[in-house]
Amino acid sequence: MSIAEERIDRLHELAREAASNRDHERAREYVRLARRVAERNRCGLPKEFRRFACDECDAYLRPGVNARIRTRAGGHVVVRCDCGATKRYPY
Ligand SMILES: [Zn+2]
């Protein structure tokens, strides 16, 4: 694992913690920082991180806290951020 990937991993943890504590502004800062690190190193965010980072407002999505998750027929999941943005992915 590269240093960039390790940093992103750490930022992911911090974002998750902050979101759990409902400190959403701080969580956003970690998400943005991770995006910047990923961009600079051209490694992209890990899939798991992308799933929980809102593309619209950079919130770190915690189901039941600031996001709703619904399972749809056809084998995909819809995650809705409090800002109204949705993302869907297969599971
Ligand atoms: Zn959002």
Side-chain angles (χ1 to χ4, degrees):
M1 197 185 253
S2 73
I3 290 172
E5 284 166 331
E6 271 171 32
R7 275 196 74 195
I8 289 167
D9 229 46
R10 181 70 188 133
L11 288 166
H12 187 179
E13 252 171 55
L14 291 168
R16 189 162 39 203
E17 265 172 40
S20 296
N21 296 328
R22 296 174 188 264
D23 193 349
H24 298 303
E25 271 319 305
R26 184 175 300 224
R28 276 193 183 91
E29 280 168 28
Y30 292 133
V31 168
R32 287 175 186 142
L33 204 55
R35 283 198 209 278
R36 272 205 298 276
V37 174
E39 204 173 309
R40 225 176 8 237
N41 294 278
R42 298 171 193 284
C43 58
L45 290 179
K47 197 198 270 178
E48 198 204 338
F49 198 160
R50 280 206 312 271
R51 280 186 180 188
F52 291 107
C54 177
D55 294 325
E56 292 296 321
C57 70
D58 291 327
Y60 188 85
L61 304 173
R62 292 293 280 173
V65 178
N66 62 345
R68 305 283 167 267
I69 290 197
R70 268 178 318 196
T71 308
R72 290 293 196 194
H76 65 266
V77 172
V78 179
V79 184
R80 187 174 197 278
C81 176
D82 277 352
C83 80
T86 57
K87 55 203 309 165
R88 60 188 61 217
Y89 50 84
Y91 66 92

